């Protein structure tokens, strides 16, 4: 059970890291371990039943190829979006590695041109409105695979990894690290109530956003240097496509950053899905979060996107993950394990939404995994104030955005509460233990997760040569 490289997590960082490993040295013995199943076995019952059935391990979140394979899979072509690993390495290295990943995408069949490469008159006008209203428009070219397109691409990629001898161990919970004299020696995993041990002197911790809590526990238990990172808390909104038409047609996704006047807190748009669908992600029995998908060949009449408030806490508070988790549990308590939905019109008027009120609107929700209610019962006032201020600012860029037909799904939370201390090769203070992706605290998108996985592997292979 001794391997040259072990990936703890089979998401973007793990899959592209494994690809790089066997490309650089086909003789390497490589293992990928994941809590979920192989991509071809990842089936969400909701796709056929139309509703969430509370699977013990959510196929949308867990499994080989990661949550990205069940998202709308937007790949940003610049270091500015998707994380801040450029603080560890140069911006040039990050962008060069992004382009390297793009060529891998093309190898496996994705040939569409990225959006946002050139500004036309309409885009310039949107940019002008943003400047007038204190909104930063982050102009980053974006490739959009779509949920269906990403599954096809990752299926081809994983098939090639299997052909080249990469091993996958799935449905395994990563329980412990094996560390001796400050050096990584492997990991212990739980599989069908039995503990398994896998050994390697090179381990990449890449458990994604869903594994953020586990990464935090591992860091504290084994003395991995880290600090408290940021938590993103907010809502996923849904609005008729007609309101977002100009942005959708010209940008596909316009990434906006806004600092609120009231609290000076940072707000941002995230993961916009034109003609997309709302998705409920089950992280546990008491934590269900809002997300969104968009397909290449399946369309709705609504656009959904996240409005997130970024919070970084100061001493003596050191439990940002638990804070966000408590908010999610409060919401789930109110809804019996579903998303909490309220129209913006009802929120502004200080009244709860009901199914009857929602039927009077010009929008039909693209999910049934919700309970109509009052978001203010679960969302902290400061965060809700920030969300509402951002909606009103966005309305000046996109007239009609702050209408009663804007639906708010709560909560949307991005867990990145542990920021690991890494060197330029993504290695921690534990020799041979590397970290990548959202769980490391430096990633928040497909592009940076892939970059970190590749850069860490290049250092590993260099040592193994």
């Amino acid at each position: 059970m001794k391997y040259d490289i072990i990936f703890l997590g089979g998401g973007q960082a793990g899959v592209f890291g494994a690809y790089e490993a066997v490309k650089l040295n086909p003789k390497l013995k490589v293992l990928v371990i994941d809590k979920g199943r192989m991509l071809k076995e990842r089936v969400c019952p909701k796709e056929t039943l139309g509703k969430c059935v509370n699977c013990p391990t959510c196929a949308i979140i867990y499994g080989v190829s990661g949550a990205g394979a069940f998202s709308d899979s937007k790949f940003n072509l610049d270091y500015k979006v998707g994380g801040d690993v450029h603080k560890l390495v140069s911006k040039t290295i990050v962008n060069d590695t992004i382009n390297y990943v793009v060529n891998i995408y093309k190898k496996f069949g994705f040939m569409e041109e990225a959006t946002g490469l050139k500004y036309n008159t309409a885009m310039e006008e949107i940019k002008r409105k943003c400047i007038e209203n204190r909104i930063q428009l982050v102009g980053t070219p974006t490739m959009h695979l779509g949920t269906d397109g990403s599954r096809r691409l990752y299926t081809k990629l994983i098939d090639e990894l299997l052909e080249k001898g990469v091993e996958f161990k799935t449905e395994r919970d990563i329980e412990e690290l094996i560390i001796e004299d400050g050096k990584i020696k492997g990991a212990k995993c739980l599989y069908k109530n039995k503990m398994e041990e896998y050994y390697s002197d090179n381990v990449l911790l890449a458990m994604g956003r869903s594994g953020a809590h586990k990464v935090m526990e591992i860091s504290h238990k084994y003395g991995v240097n880290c600090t408290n990172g940021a938590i993103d808390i907010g809502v996923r909104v849904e609005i008729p496509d007609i309101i977002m038409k100009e942005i959708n047609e010209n940008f596909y996704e316009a990434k906006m950053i806004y600092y609120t006047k009231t609290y000076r807190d940072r707000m941002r748009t995230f993961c916009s899905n034109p003609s997309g669908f709302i998705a409920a992600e089950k992280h546990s029995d008491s934590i269900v979060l809002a997300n969104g998908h968009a397909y290449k060949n399946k369309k709705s009449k609504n656009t959904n996107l996240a409005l997130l408030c970024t919070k970084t806490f100061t001493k003596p508070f050191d439990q940002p993950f638990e804070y966000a988790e408590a908010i999610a549990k409060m919401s789930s308590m109110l809804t019996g394990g579903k998303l909490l939905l309220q129209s913006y019109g009802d929120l502004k008027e200080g009244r709860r939404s009901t199914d009857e009120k929602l039927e009077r609107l010009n929008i039909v929700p693209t999910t049934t995994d919700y309970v109509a209610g009052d978001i203010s019962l679960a969302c902290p006032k400061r965060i809700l104030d920030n969300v509402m201020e951002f909606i009103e600012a966005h309305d000046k860029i996109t007239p009609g955005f702050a209408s009663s037909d804007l639906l708010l799904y709560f909560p949307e939370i991005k867990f990145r509460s542990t920021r690991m201390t890494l060197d330029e090769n993504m290695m921690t203070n534990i020799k041979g233990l590397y970290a990548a992706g959202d769980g490391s605290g430096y990633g928040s998108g497909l592009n940076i997760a892939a970059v970190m996985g590749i850069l860490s592997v290049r250092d590993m292979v260099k040592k193994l040569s």
Side-chain angles (χ1 to χ4, degrees), residues 129-138 232-233 254-270 305-311 344 382-397 401:
K129 289 181 180 179
C130 286
I131 293 172
E132 287 179 350
N133 292 284
R134 301 172 47 251
I135 292 176
Q136 179 186 2
L137 181 64
V138 183
D232 290 321
I233 305 174
K255 295 183 179 295
M256 300 179 184
I257 299 173
Y258 176 77
Y259 291 87
T260 61
K261 296 178 181 178
T262 306
Y263 302 107
R264 298 295 188 267
D265 286 338
R266 183 179 186 269
M267 294 292 301
R268 66 185 177 104
T269 60
F270 178 78
L305 65 150
L307 306 179
L308 299 174
C309 177
T310 302
K311 292 302 301 174
Y344 188 56
R382 178 168 180 155
I383 293 172
L384 193 56
D385 286 348
N386 287 334
V387 167
M388 295 179 72
E389 184 179 326
F390 193 22
I391 288 172
E392 295 296 332
H394 202 303
D395 188 72
K396 296 175 182 177
I397 314 302
F401 192 80

Side-chain angles (χ1 to χ4, degrees), residues 182-197:
K183 301 177 183 179
I184 190 70
K185 292 298 177 182
K188 296 181 180 181
C189 303
L190 191 64
Y191 178 61
K192 295 184 177 179
N193 297 317
K194 293 183 179 180
M195 194 68 75
E196 300 176 335
E197 296 184 3

Side-chain angles (χ1 to χ4, degrees), residues 396-444:
K396 296 175 182 177
I397 314 302
T398 312
F401 192 80
S403 68
S404 295
D405 289 312
L406 182 73
L407 302 180
L408 283 67
Y409 297 84
F410 184 81
E412 172 132 356
I413 299 174
K414 303 305 179 190
F415 293 109
R416 293 184 289 118
S417 59
T418 301
R419 189 172 178 88
M420 307 177 83
T421 303
L422 306 177
D423 66 12
E424 68 276 10
N425 297 310
M426 315 300 127
M427 189 163 69
T428 69
N429 59 298
I430 306 297
K431 187 175 180 180
L433 178 63
Y434 299 75
D438 288 19
S440 71
Y442 285 91
S444 59

Side-chain angles (χ1 to χ4, degrees), residues 149-386:
S150 67
R151 291 184 206 175
R152 289 193 297 270
L153 186 148
Y154 291 130
T155 296
K156 294 177 183 178
L157 175 56
I158 292 164
D159 283 345
E160 180 165 310
L161 294 180
L162 290 168
E163 289 173 6
K164 291 187 175 182
V166 175
E167 294 183 41
F168 290 85
K169 300 291 185 182
T170 56
E171 299 181 74
R172 284 161 169 82
D173 284 310
I174 299 160
E175 295 294 319
E176 301 177 25
L177 298 182
I178 303 171
I179 297 175
E180 297 176 4
D181 301 322
K183 301 177 183 179
I184 190 70
K185 292 298 177 182
K188 296 181 180 181
C189 303
L190 191 64
Y191 178 61
K192 295 184 177 179
N193 297 317
K194 293 183 179 180
M195 194 68 75
E196 300 176 335
E197 296 184 3
Y198 299 94
Y199 293 92
S200 177
D201 296 330
N202 297 286
V203 175
L204 178 66
L205 194 59
M207 297 167 65
R209 194 174 295 147
S210 59
H213 191 265
K214 177 65 73 173
V215 171
M216 180 182 67
E217 290 179 344
I218 287 174
S219 298
H220 293 164
K221 181 176 181 179
Y222 297 102
V224 180
N225 291 340
C226 63
T227 57
N228 288 330
I231 286 284
D232 290 321
I233 305 174
V235 298
R236 181 157 289 268
V237 299
E238 189 169 38
I239 189 80
D241 277 341
I242 191 171
I243 300 297
M244 299 292 292
K245 183 178 180 180
E246 194 169 38
I247 284 180
N248 292 347
E249 290 182 348
N250 290 283
F251 286 96
Y252 187 83
E253 176 180 30
K255 295 183 179 295
M256 300 179 184
I257 299 173
Y258 176 77
Y259 291 87
T260 61
K261 296 178 181 178
T262 306
Y263 302 107
R264 298 295 188 267
D265 286 338
R266 183 179 186 269
M267 294 292 301
R268 66 185 177 104
T269 60
F270 178 78
C271 186
S272 180
N273 297 296
S275 303
F277 299 83
I278 296 292
E281 293 183 346
K282 180 187 175 184
H283 288 248
S284 68
D285 289 337
S286 58
I287 298 179
V288 179
L289 305 179
N291 208 334
H293 295 171
Y295 299 87
K296 284 289 185 182
N297 302 311
K298 177 183 175 183
K299 303 294 182 182
S300 75
K301 296 181 179 180
N302 301 338
T303 295
N304 68 75
L305 65 150
L307 306 179
L308 299 174
C309 177
T310 302
K311 292 302 301 174
T312 302
F313 297 93
T314 56
K315 294 182 179 180
F317 184 72
D318 62 355
Q319 294 180 295
F321 187 97
E322 288 80 2
Y323 173 79
E325 196 176 56
I327 292 173
K329 288 180 178 179
M330 178 70 74
S331 178
S332 186
M333 184 189 303
L334 293 169
T335 62
K338 294 189 176 183
L339 301 176
L340 183 55
L341 171 61
Q342 188 173 19
S343 72
Y344 188 56
D346 286 336
L347 178 62
K348 285 200 296 185
E349 293 181 13
R351 62 187 186 188
R352 68 161 294 175
S353 287
T354 62
D355 291 334
E356 182 183 0
K357 292 176 185 176
L358 294 176
E359 289 176 359
R360 302 172 190 170
L361 303 178
N362 295 302
I363 184 172
V364 177
T366 56
T367 182
T368 58
D369 293 325
Y370 68 83
V371 169
D374 185 353
I375 291 175
S376 67
L377 291 175
C379 184
K381 180 179 184 298
R382 178 168 180 155
I383 293 172
L384 193 56
D385 286 348
N386 287 334

Side-chain angles (χ1 to χ4, degrees), residues 39-50:
L39 179 56
K40 292 179 180 179
E41 299 170 355
R42 291 173 64 183
V43 179
C44 177
K46 183 182 175 182
E47 293 186 4
T48 54
L49 299 177

